[in-house]
Amino acid sequence: MALNQQKITFRHWCRSGEPFIWLNAAAVTISVLAVVGLLSLLAVRGFGHFWPSNIMQAEYRFPGTQATRIIGERVGSENVPLEQILNSGMAADINSTEPFVSRTLIKRGNRDVTGLDFVWVLDEYLTDIRYPETLMSIERREWGHFYGYLKAVKQEGKTLSYSDDAALWALFEQRIDRALQLHQQIEAIEKDDIASINYALERLRLRERSLAFKNSVSDSQLAIEQANIATERAVLDSEYEVLQNRLNELYAQSQRDSFVAETMSGEETTLDIAVVVQAHRPNAMSVGKKLVVYAENFWAFLSEDPREANTEGGIFPAIFGTVMMVLLMSVMVTPFGVIAAIYLREYARQGVMTRIVRIAVNNLAGVPSIVYGVFGLGFFIYFLGAEMDKLFFEAALPAPTFGTPGLLWASLTLALLTLPVVIVSTEEGLSRIPKALREGSLALGATKAETLWRVVLPMASPAMMTGLILAVARAAGEVAPLMLVGVVKLAPSLPVDGNYPYLHLDQKFMHLGFHIFDVGFQSPNVEAARPLVYATALLLVIIIALLNFSAVALRNHLRERYKALDM
């Protein structure tokens, strides 16, 4: 009797729907925990890279080899099977009864000296571990980090005098600041002044070449135009010569200073201060000073260009390219998606053909993104871009202008990819608007166009924004089609600059998604690139979230504004 009563109670509980409530709550909880866990992993693994870690010095006495000194940062540790170590052929003399051995990954830097940035060492054979305050960490423009001891500072090959180690370090920092200022001046001349002159010279070359295609120009007009071009070119050449001389002077000044450092093997090497980005002694730094350095490193990551095959430096070009592409895509996809939805819902006859079109739109939303990339490459670039070059950029041929992957074609391809999402969302919003509102507007004397513009579209605007949010979320993370229609590993310049027409839609650009793929899977230095993959991935998530939050805020504002009409 009691068993039957329990069965009845269980059936009643199941029929009440409460189990589904608990299942939904559990699913939501697991999803939230998974998202929080993923973001936490990306934050810890990625943003922890910018913290100035202490530098270790130790003796490594591996069986069968001589003791060596190791200097570097502890990056990670793991337990590996002893059999794996023995099978590697590098540890035949290990005598251990434990099935697992602990090993540590050390970033020893000095790739130009040792050949490898990272090395695995067995913890059992690390002895005399110390953290001397005079150990320094130097970030260089090439060859990665350098770890060692500062021995001397030289000017034009002559060693400068100093009173003690603190004075030597202060002198070293002073010369680094001077080298950084010179580097900024060099970069400004190369990227701004000389780049503008080269752009103007290229425009003159195209202008001169276009004269050959103008049959209506008389010989006298042709001579005058060629003389004007020659005069302008002479002025630009003289400006270029002045800048080049100034550039040579700055390079000579930047190569004046050098420093002598002792590596972990005890050898002394001389390096140019011009290659130094920053230098610190993290073992002697307080927590407050490390926080300042952490903020500087993080800002450099956001604002600088990449270096060392994208494993060093910043990712600003990728951030800029991602945001610019998403904005252009949004401007392109929204009008076309809204107009298509309006036609299907408000003007098209609701018959078989309209249903077929809706089915086709829904199916397009499930087409793999790489197919859109192939279509963009074939139609936009090889056909449309090539025809535009023949019509408007004949002087530049055979070098393509728009007949090559670029920002415009990447934005159009992603707009085509996300168009079904905007159409479906907008049409759903239009279908929810009561028919009585349309009839009331028409009864008051408004035309169908006025009703659509003043009544229907404002009320459907939240649905349009929903479609745009979904489109942005999908487009910002796409990588496969962009590899075919405009994204590159490293773009020499941004698609926006001070040269007319200021926004260069024909230029290739960098993208955060492709940057993650390139650094994570194509990098020659995997261990150095791994933290940047985590940091860049988290940054991409944050940028997508900010774009979505902006669209959500606008959607909520529109919803509140037109709530009275809906009532």
Side-chain angles (χ1 to χ4, degrees):
M1 187 70 181
L3 182 60
N4 292 333
Q5 185 66 29
Q6 290 178 357
K7 290 182 178 180
I8 295 174
T9 304
F10 179 76
R11 291 175 182 175
H12 182 269
W13 180 68
C14 292
R15 292 174 180 176
S16 67
E18 190 172 350
F20 297 100
I21 297 176
W22 283 100
L23 288 174
N24 290 334
V28 172
T29 302
I30 293 173
S31 301
V32 171
L33 291 177
V35 171
V36 172
L38 175 62
L39 295 180
S40 301
L41 175 66
L42 295 177
V44 173
R45 294 286 184 89
F47 292 164
H49 170 70
F50 307 108
W51 183 261
S53 303
N54 289 340
I55 307 174
M56 177 192 70
Q57 175 181 316
E59 292 290 330
Y60 189 55
R61 299 181 180 274
F62 195 75
T65 62
Q66 295 181 350
T68 58
R69 184 172 66 169
I70 289 183
I71 294 177
E73 299 179 16
R74 289 179 179 265
V75 176
S77 61
E78 64 179 11
N79 292 325
V80 295
L82 177 62
E83 183 180 358
Q84 176 181 338
I85 301 296
L86 295 175
N87 291 338
S88 65
M90 300 176 57
D93 297 332
I94 292 181
N95 295 320
S96 177
T97 59
E98 299 293 332
F100 290 89
V101 294
S102 175
R103 66 177 184 175
T104 299
L105 181 64
I106 295 180
K107 182 180 180 181
R108 59 181 180 177
N110 304 14
R111 189 165 68 245
D112 51 335
V113 178
T114 61
L116 293 174
D117 273 327
F118 296 84
V119 62
W120 285 100
V121 297
L122 300 179
D123 295 345
E124 182 180 355
Y125 303 105
L126 275 178
T127 59
D128 193 22
I129 299 176
R130 296 180 292 122
Y131 294 89
E133 293 186 352
T134 54
L135 268 177
M136 64 177 180
S137 170
I138 297 177
E139 182 182 350
R140 299 180 290 179
R141 303 191 189 280
E142 55 185 14
W143 296 110
H145 280 69
F146 181 92
Y147 300 108
Y149 294 95
L150 179 64
K151 292 300 181 181
V153 176
K154 294 183 177 181
Q155 178 176 322
E156 297 179 350
K158 298 180 180 179
T159 302
L160 301 177
S161 59
Y162 55 92
S163 57
D164 53 14
D165 182 73
L168 175 61
W169 184 254
L171 179 63
F172 184 49
E173 289 183 324
Q174 179 185 359
R175 296 308 169 102
I176 291 176
D177 292 338
R178 174 184 175 276
L180 291 176
Q181 293 176 3
L182 292 174
H183 178 76
Q184 291 175 359
Q185 297 179 34
I186 292 172
E187 195 174 43
I189 292 176
E190 290 180 341
K191 287 191 172 183
D192 299 333
D193 301 335
I194 291 183
S196 298
I197 291 178
N198 289 333
Y199 182 80
L201 287 172
E202 178 64 15
R203 300 276 292 186
L204 286 179
R205 186 189 71 82
L206 295 177
R207 197 169 115 200
E208 184 178 26
R209 195 164 183 266
S210 64
L211 294 175
F213 301 100
K214 294 182 179 180
N215 299 325
S216 60
V217 179
S218 62
D219 293 340
S220 59
Q221 292 176 337
L222 180 62
I224 293 174
E225 186 67 19
Q226 289 178 341
N228 292 335
I229 292 176
T231 302
E232 294 180 21
R233 181 180 286 114
V235 173
L236 292 173
D237 287 339
S238 62
E239 293 178 358
Y240 181 86
E241 185 177 357
V242 172
L243 291 174
Q244 188 63 46
N245 293 333
R246 175 58 179 162
L247 203 59
N248 293 335
E249 293 176 0
L250 291 174
Y251 272 117
Q253 294 178 23
S254 65
Q255 296 172 0
R256 186 194 70 177
D257 299 329
S258 60
F259 68 98
V260 180
E262 179 184 336
T263 65
M264 70 179 189
S265 62
E267 299 177 357
E268 291 188 355
T269 181
T270 301
L271 301 172
D272 291 333
I273 293 183
V275 303
V276 177
V277 177
Q278 60 177 352
H280 302 292
R281 285 179 168 175
N283 296 348
M285 294 167 59
S286 62
V287 176
K289 179 63 175 176
K290 287 187 176 183
L291 286 173
V292 173
V293 175
Y294 178 84
E296 293 174 351
N297 291 339
F298 186 69
W299 174 247
F301 174 70
L302 297 178
S303 61
E304 293 183 358
D305 294 344
R307 304 188 309 271
E308 292 284 314
N310 292 341
T311 59
E312 299 285 348
I315 58 170
F316 176 74
I319 297 174
F320 186 89
T322 302
V323 175
M324 178 62 66
M325 185 208 64
V326 169
L327 292 178
L328 288 175
M329 181 275 303
S330 302
V331 171
M332 295 174 183
V333 72
T334 304
F336 287 103
V338 171
I339 291 173
I342 290 174
Y343 176 78
L344 289 174
R345 177 56 56 180
E346 302 292 332
Y347 291 97
R349 180 179 297 177
Q350 303 303 313
V352 176
M353 184 59 64
T354 305
R355 287 197 296 271
I356 293 175
V357 170
R358 286 197 178 96
I359 294 173
V361 169
N362 291 327
N363 289 336
L364 283 175
V367 173
S369 60
I370 190 64
V371 176
Y372 286 96
V374 173
F375 175 82
L377 181 65
F379 179 74
F380 291 137
I381 298 173
Y382 290 159
F383 174 71
L384 191 59
E387 294 300 321
M388 289 175 61
D389 286 347
K390 292 178 183 178
L391 291 175
F392 304 108
F393 304 98
E394 188 179 8
L397 294 175
T401 302
F402 281 96
T404 185
L407 179 61
L408 174 62
W409 306 132
S411 302
L412 275 174
T413 301
L414 289 187
L416 193 64
L417 185 148
T418 56
L419 183 62
V421 177
V422 178
I423 292 176
V424 172
S425 298
T426 304
E427 194 173 1
E428 288 294 328
L430 292 172
S431 64
R432 293 193 188 100
I433 299 175
K435 187 178 180 180
L437 289 176
R438 296 180 175 86
E439 295 174 348
S441 176
L442 295 174
L444 292 174
T447 63
K448 187 172 184 178
E450 290 174 339
T451 300
L452 181 67
W453 184 256
R454 297 182 179 275
V455 178
V456 177
L457 287 183
M459 295 183 64
S461 56
M464 301 177 196
M465 295 306 301
T466 300
L468 181 60
I469 292 169
L470 297 174
V472 168
R474 183 178 182 187
E478 287 292 345
V479 176
L482 298 179
M483 297 169 64
L484 302 176
V485 293
V487 167
V488 291
K489 173 186 177 73
L490 183 63
S493 59
L494 297 177
V496 175
D497 56 27
N499 299 317
Y500 181 83
Y502 311 118
L503 176 60
H504 305 280
L505 297 176
D506 58 308
Q507 284 191 8
K508 296 177 176 62
F509 65 102
M510 296 182 67
H511 186 271
L512 284 174
F514 182 76
H515 187 79
I516 293 170
F517 166 77
D518 176 69
V519 174
F521 301 97
Q522 305 294 322
S523 174
N525 196 347
V526 178
E527 294 295 342
R530 183 174 290 121
L532 297 182
V533 172
Y534 288 114
T536 307
L538 180 59
L539 194 61
L540 177 59
V541 173
I542 292 174
I543 289 176
I544 295 175
L546 289 176
L547 292 172
N548 286 340
F549 286 153
S550 301
V552 168
L554 181 58
R555 181 186 65 182
N556 293 339
H557 172 73
L558 294 173
R559 182 176 294 167
E560 292 296 327
R561 181 177 179 180
Y562 299 108
K563 183 182 293 185
L565 291 176
D566 197 17
M567 296 175 61

